[in-house]
Amino acid sequence: RFLHLEKRVSKIFKIWANFILKSGEAGSRKRIGKLLLFMAYLILAILILGPIVKIVSAIYVLLQKENMENEIRYFQNVNP
């Protein structure tokens, strides 16, 4: 569950990083503006999107519980 979230966050961070890096040198007005935009996005993501994602993930886990249990049993029986 957390691995999927980590992959998604890493992808979003790379998009933001490239967006900000294309704005010029550190300290330039364009770059500062984009950094402020990114900070606003982070606050929005933490306060609003975070709880929504947590609820959706919990529902998904409940719906996929049987599949997950099957995968756990499978991997518990696999010998390295």
Side-chain angles (χ1 to χ4, degrees):
R1 181 167 77 176
F2 293 112
L3 181 61
H4 181 69
L5 180 62
E6 181 72 26
K7 286 181 181 178
R8 196 176 319 154
V9 169
S10 293
K11 198 179 285 189
I12 292 170
F13 181 77
K14 286 178 187 177
I15 291 169
W16 273 101
N18 288 331
F19 176 69
I20 293 168
L21 286 171
K22 291 178 183 176
S23 302
E25 296 296 318
S28 72
R29 287 186 183 259
K30 281 185 176 179
R31 194 165 179 173
I32 291 172
K34 288 183 179 182
L35 284 170
L36 291 173
L37 186 63
F38 178 62
M39 288 185 342
Y41 167 77
L42 282 178
I43 292 169
L44 174 75
I46 291 168
L47 297 178
I48 296 173
L49 297 177
I52 292 170
V53 168
K54 187 172 183 173
I55 292 168
V56 170
S57 293
I59 292 170
Y60 179 77
V61 167
L62 290 174
L63 295 174
Q64 295 296 320
K65 188 173 183 176
E66 187 175 329
N67 282 347
M68 288 182 180
E69 288 173 352
N70 289 338
E71 284 186 35
I72 290 169
R73 277 194 297 278
Y74 170 78
F75 286 112
Q76 285 175 339
N77 292 321
V78 174
N79 294 324

